[in-house]
Amino acid sequence: MADDNELLLEVNDLRMYFPIQKGILRQTTGYVKAVDGVSLSIKKGETLGLVGESGCGKTTTGRCIVRVYQPTGGEIVFHDEGEIVDINRLTRQELKTFRRNMQMIFQDPFSSLNPRMTVLELVGEPLLAHGIARGQELEDRVAEMVRSVGLRVEHLPRYPHSFSGGQRQRIGIARALVQRPKLVVCDEPVSALDVSVQSQVVNLLQDLQSDLDLTYLFVAHDMSVVRQISNRIAVMYVGKLVEVAESEELLRDPKHPYSETLLSAVPRPNPHHHMQRLNLEGEPADPANAPPGCVFHPRCRYMEDICQTDVPALVELTPGHHVACHFADQLKLQGIDYARSPRA
Amino acid sequence: MAHDSLLEIKNLMTHFHLHEGIVRAVDGVSFDVRRGQTLGIIGESGCGKSVTVHSILRLVPSPPGNIVDGQILLHRGGNGMDRVAVDLARLDPRGAEIRAIRGAEISMVFQEPMTSFGPMHTIGNQIIETILLHQEGVESSDARDLAIENLRRVGIPRAEQIVDAYPHQLSGGMRQRAMIAMALSCTPRLLIADEPTTALDVTIQAQILELLMALQEEVGMAVIFITHNLGVIAEVADEVAVMYLGRIVEQAGVNELFDNPQHPYTQGLLNSIPHIDEEKLPRLRAIEGVVPDPYEIPSGCAFSDRCPSFKPGTCDRAMPNLDETVSGHLVRCFLYSDVEEGLTEGENGG
Ligand SMILES: Nc1ncnc2c1ncn2[C@@H]1O[C@H](COP(=O)(O)OP(=O)(O)OP(=O)(O)O)[C@@H](O)[C@H]1O
Ligand SMILES: Nc1ncnc2c1ncn2[C@@H]1O[C@H](COP(=O)(O)OP(=O)(O)OP(=O)(O)O)[C@@H](O)[C@H]1O
Ligand code: SF4
Ligand code: SF4
Ligand SMILES: [Mg+2]
Ligand SMILES: [Mg+2]
């Protein structure tokens, strides 16, 4: 369980701007502000869920944190056994060693594994590359890891194509976790999987988290899955966080109009449920040309004049509940009612 | 047979003959689609959902695929004496008759709209082409107006401009709507939607589902809706068929299926998904194991290697029939029928 005080990761004002280049001279004509001022923190052993529309910057945020991308600006601070490491200040060499603390699990179990490598090679490669283990020790560690993700040692000499989607995702998980990272960014890890396999992998990720003392940033679009695994949920809209709260609180009592819409759109596996759905009019904002004021204002049903000019800051409305909306304390928004008790 | 049945599938078998062996992708599937109604099909990846609906439109690549048995009856005319049926399973897949049906009487929305719109032509030209192909007497100048009208009907803003856009210039949600506009351009009697919203955001998914239901009401078409998502099925379907390894294992009205799931696989599916409006469970209740390889299907009941209610000596001896347990509720499981019957009638189980 998450220790109340111990922080693992702090992200301050993270920005990732991709240049838009035009013409034969590849002149920069503007920027896609994929991540534009994101601040968040994750405690040791905690799972922070990250949700939001396609293209809002979730993957980019994850990639900046594990330093696949060099962010345009902002601070990423890692608390490593009493030491405080500012990842942006590490030299190339230092970063190389530090990287094993942060790993990523990808959405697509089909394309994220090299088809010409066996399971042993795939899972063993990071150990070899970082000079952590070789020979028999490497094989032992790989075998142990493979068993703990629910695969068998007989699978080690096999190639990815002979596995099902769920099994390939397990290989991906083993490959990420074999280096004993502290933080794992899970980018839509179950979205491509079948319903019955999805729940197996969610359970596996939960078990591994407690066994290996992992901290997760869990990116997904299925709100029900995110809620299952996350202690807290952050809602992102066009490069910015608009709300962060403890999961159950965010579900029952959303404070940002976009979160309200998102929750009302979640399909419920219950034919008797006839909800008042809030339609989200218009197209999502373009991160290369975000609207002034509140980024959500062109689609917001509660918009007032001030929303078109002033950017609302992400403020702590009640302890632990952060919202970026000028009217967060006045609006009465609809969350999920827990009308039903769990199935027997 | 119900009199309002539009499409009647009887014991459909579509097999693939591959080097490794025969894949019985669809192995004795029967169902009715009634006018104006939505049949939802759910089931795990590879269970034969797409092959079933591709068989209807005769889009299964041959070789290696073949409809080896069964009938696909498309009923035309009213309920009286003028009613005739054409068996799509017997048509030449490249012939004029099936091509006249595709896009006109029966049309399809695919999972990935990029694959069904050609990249080289504008959205408008592709819709216009469909209209000119299927609607006699429409002039090209009117077809363009019809195309714009269709785009507007699916809620595309600035339709008179978007009509000249290329598919890659639209967002995923817009493309999917344009795809629906094209599928509906000839007012089909049956729309087949194969995972039409899987690739989309929940907010856009919600819009598209509402759009489909509203259009269905407006034009009275029947829909076959395929999805993995039980939440989506609960919302759109009137009747639900659950498939496992090429066969229907349970079928019932949507309320009955969710309130009273009887097949252990259906029960497992419903129990394994997280419910956002219930107290959170510490762990999800997963179905054990994985779908077997198509060449290693267990003998007897195909679900027997994963089933928590497996009865040795019964479930591994024969394939249970799809039997009616209560009115309108069909289940393929020995918990509800006995094995002797299954053994004697195993071959013709529907
Ligand atoms: N390498 C890149 N170069 C230029 N633009 C990029 C790059 N990666 C992402 N973007 C842009 O940044 C924005 C955010 O993309 P990102 O992939 O982070 O979104 P996301 O929230 O993960 O979306 P999804 O749910 O579809 O995965 C998008 O507008 C995308 O087009
Ligand atoms: N062209 C083909 N050649 C060979 N086998 C095929 C072909 N198309 C489908 N199959 C096989 O037929 C079976 C059923 O496939 P189908 O595409 O109908 O599954 P599905 O239920 O639609 O799955 P998904 O949810 O992944 O779309 C699978 O075992 C598949 O591998
Ligand atoms: S700040 Fe204004 S536009 Fe933005 S979410 Fe709040 S009410 Fe809506
Ligand atoms: S027939 Fe037997 S193995 Fe198959 S679903 Fe029923 S109880 Fe389970
Ligand atoms: Mg992403
Ligand atoms: Mg399919």
Side-chain angles (χ1 to χ4, degrees):
Chain A
M1 213 39 252
D3 183 319
D4 272 352
N5 305 312
E6 231 183 322
L7 276 181
L8 180 76
L9 180 80
E10 267 180 288
V11 173
N12 294 318
D13 197 25
L14 182 69
R15 275 164 292 128
M16 184 73 219
Y17 297 173
F18 296 106
I20 304 169
Q21 287 163 339
K22 289 249 165 73
I24 30 171
L25 296 175
R26 320 267 334 135
Q27 276 180 329
T28 298
T29 57
Y31 292 92
V32 176
K33 298 185 175 178
V35 178
D36 195 17
V38 163
S39 299
L40 54 85
S41 58
I42 314 183
K43 289 175 222 155
K44 274 207 174 89
E46 185 188 39
T47 300
L48 176 68
L50 184 58
V51 298
E53 232 165 354
S54 178
C56 72
K58 306 180 295 291
T59 296
T60 307
T61 303
R63 291 202 172 143
C64 288
I65 290 173
V66 302
R67 279 300 299 273
V68 174
Y69 292 150
Q70 160 89 56
T72 311
E75 252 184 349
I76 301 169
V77 180
F78 208 90
H79 297 249
D80 185 24
E81 280 146 21
E83 265 186 80
I84 292 180
V85 182
D86 182 344
I87 298 178
N88 281 345
R89 300 234 171 105
L90 295 180
T91 64
R92 214 167 243 267
Q93 201 51 45
E94 287 170 328
L95 183 64
K96 209 179 151 211
T97 4
F98 194 76
R99 229 189 216 135
R100 41 189 277 225
N101 289 311
M102 314 170 295
Q103 291 297 318
M104 198 147 172
I105 297 170
F106 302 93
Q107 167 171 9
D108 187 354
F110 300 93
S111 63
S112 61
L113 301 173
N114 182 340
R116 279 180 292 277
M117 288 169 77
T118 64
V119 174
L120 175 63
E121 287 163 343
L122 281 164
V123 179
E125 185 193 52
L127 295 177
L128 210 55
H130 286 105
I132 300 167
R134 42 201 273 254
Q136 190 58 44
E137 195 201 337
L138 181 131
E139 279 193 36
D140 291 346
R141 280 185 68 165
V142 170
E144 187 200 330
M145 193 65 237
V146 157
R147 269 194 299 266
S148 66
V149 298
L151 295 171
R152 294 197 301 273
V153 188
E154 301 92 88
H155 290 138
L156 287 175
R158 287 171 45 179
Y159 291 90
H161 67 82
S162 62
F163 293 94
S164 70
Q167 287 173 318
R168 285 185 232 207
Q169 196 53 291
R170 288 171 197 268
I171 300 170
I173 294 170
R175 187 173 147 88
L177 300 189
V178 73
Q179 304 173 64
R180 288 294 149 86
K182 300 200 166 70
L183 176 74
V184 183
V185 173
C186 308
D187 191 5
E188 306 267 9
V190 300
S191 310
L193 304 177
D194 267 325
V195 189
S196 81
V197 183
Q198 231 177 48
S199 40
Q200 293 173 357
V201 173
V202 168
N203 285 344
L204 172 68
L205 286 169
Q206 279 186 328
D207 293 346
L208 291 168
Q209 177 165 41
S210 53
D211 292 350
L212 303 177
D213 227 352
L214 300 170
T215 303
Y216 290 147
L217 177 65
F218 192 93
V219 174
H221 65 264
D222 183 337
M223 197 60 124
S224 324
V225 170
V226 172
R227 180 262 195 143
Q228 176 65 31
I229 198 161
S230 306
N231 304 94
R232 288 185 303 135
I233 297 176
V235 182
M236 193 163 184
Y237 188 79
V238 196
K240 292 186 157 66
L241 295 187
V242 296
E243 184 163 4
V244 186
E246 188 272 321
S247 308
E248 300 306 306
E249 184 168 324
L250 188 107
L251 255 52
R252 284 174 200 250
D253 194 15
K255 292 292 185 195
H256 194 281
Y258 176 62
S259 313
E260 181 188 41
T261 319
L262 205 56
L263 289 171
S264 90
V266 176
R268 311 286 183 83
N270 171 10
H272 305 292
H273 178 86
H274 296 290
M275 74 186 105
Q276 229 354 47
R277 181 171 277 150
L278 308 168
N279 271 325
L280 193 54
E281 303 295 337
E283 292 284 305
D286 177 1
N289 190 12
C294 170
V295 273
F296 190 54
H297 89 251
R299 304 172 87 186
C300 180
R301 62 184 57 230
Y302 309 104
M303 197 260 294
E304 305 261 351
D305 287 347
I306 182 180
C307 308
Q308 302 178 41
T309 49
D310 295 18
V311 179
L314 188 70
V315 294
E316 190 162 10
L317 197 68
T318 53
H321 198 146
H322 303 256
V323 195
C325 167
H326 294 304
F327 302 102
D329 54 349
Q330 294 161 38
L331 295 173
K332 292 260 167 297
L333 304 181
Q334 182 69 45
I336 305 271
D337 325 320
Y338 293 5
R340 306 202 303 158
S341 52
R343 284 154 179 271
Chain B
M1 180 198 79
H3 278 301
D4 56 353
S5 147
L6 173 66
L7 185 80
E8 220 184 324
I9 297 193
K10 293 182 177 173
N11 197 33
L12 177 68
M13 297 198 184
T14 306
H15 294 176
F16 291 93
H17 296 265
L18 308 175
H19 291 303
E20 301 91 324
I22 298 173
V23 176
R24 295 180 166 81
V26 178
D27 208 21
V29 162
S30 303
F31 59 75
D32 266 21
V33 184
R34 291 186 286 161
R35 289 169 209 277
Q37 297 262 298
T38 299
L39 171 75
I41 305 181
I42 55 175
E44 241 144 323
S45 185
C47 72
K49 305 182 294 296
S50 295
V51 173
T52 300
V53 294
H54 290 165
S55 301
I56 297 172
L57 283 174
R58 305 302 308 277
L59 296 171
V60 175
S62 169
N66 275 306
I67 296 180
V68 295
D69 200 3
Q71 291 176 298
I72 304 171
L73 301 176
L74 175 66
H75 294 287
R76 289 176 169 145
N79 292 328
M81 299 298 284
D82 57 339
R83 193 174 162 87
V84 284
V86 51
D87 185 356
L88 306 182
R90 289 177 190 276
L91 299 183
D92 172 5
R94 288 175 196 82
E97 215 176 334
I98 191 74
R99 275 188 293 157
I101 290 171
R102 280 182 209 141
E105 281 178 273
I106 306 177
S107 61
M108 184 150 172
V109 180
F110 296 85
Q111 173 166 5
E112 179 40 70
M114 267 327 237
T115 58
S116 31
F117 270 128
M120 305 304 286
H121 299 282
T122 64
I123 301 269
N125 281 342
Q126 300 187 53
I127 298 178
I128 290 167
E129 195 187 325
T130 312
I131 293 174
L132 292 178
L133 186 69
H134 292 299
Q135 295 186 13
E136 278 167 43
V138 176
E139 302 287 330
S140 349
S141 53
D142 297 335
R144 185 181 158 88
D145 292 340
L146 276 175
I148 294 173
E149 185 48 43
N150 274 299
L151 289 172
R152 199 170 282 136
R153 191 164 65 159
V154 299
I156 287 188
R158 298 182 293 117
E160 27 333 289
Q161 284 152 27
I162 297 292
V163 74
D164 295 319
Y166 288 89
H168 72 264
Q169 295 174 316
L170 303 183
S171 70
M174 292 262 271
R175 257 199 316 263
Q176 196 58 290
R177 280 193 237 183
M179 182 68 223
I180 292 172
M182 179 155 92
L184 299 183
S185 60
C186 297
T187 324
R189 295 194 294 149
L190 173 63
L191 176 75
I192 298 173
D194 190 356
E195 312 246 11
T197 60
T198 308
L200 302 174
D201 276 327
V202 281
T203 47
I204 300 169
Q205 167 174 287
Q207 281 173 13
I208 302 246
L209 295 182
E210 272 172 22
L211 171 72
L212 270 178
M213 288 189 284
L215 292 172
Q216 179 175 24
E217 204 143 291
E218 192 185 315
V219 298
M221 66 186 174
V223 177
I224 299 178
F225 197 106
I226 296 178
T227 174
H228 285 111
N229 188 315
L230 293 163
V232 170
I233 276 290
E235 189 158 331
V236 300
D238 299 301
E239 178 86 8
V240 182
V242 183
M243 285 185 74
Y244 193 77
L245 286 172
R247 289 192 168 88
I248 292 178
V249 295
E250 182 158 13
Q251 185 177 336
V254 68
N255 291 343
E256 169 73 7
L257 190 98
F258 279 81
D259 294 344
N260 183 25
Q262 296 190 334
H263 195 281
Y265 174 62
T266 315
Q267 292 172 346
L269 278 184
L270 288 173
N271 281 330
S272 70
I273 47 174
H275 290 262
I276 200 163
D277 52 4
E278 294 176 1
E279 292 293 335
K280 179 155 115 182
L281 297 168
R283 286 180 114 248
L284 296 176
R285 286 179 287 231
I287 301 179
E288 295 297 314
V290 294
V291 184
D293 189 275
Y295 309 111
E296 291 167 14
I297 297 178
S299 62
C301 169
F303 189 57
S304 56
D305 63 333
R306 303 174 75 186
C307 181
S309 310
F310 173 74
K311 289 188 285 185
T314 302
C315 302
D316 45 4
R317 273 181 69 203
M319 165 67 67
N321 286 327
L322 189 64
D323 287 334
E324 191 161 30
T325 54
V326 283
S327 169
H329 192 152
L330 306 172
V331 186
R332 186 189 290 283
C333 171
F334 287 125
L335 295 174
Y336 309 92
S337 70
D338 70 65
V339 71
E340 300 311 326
E341 192 190 331
L343 280 175
T344 50
E345 296 171 24
E347 302 81 8
N348 53 17

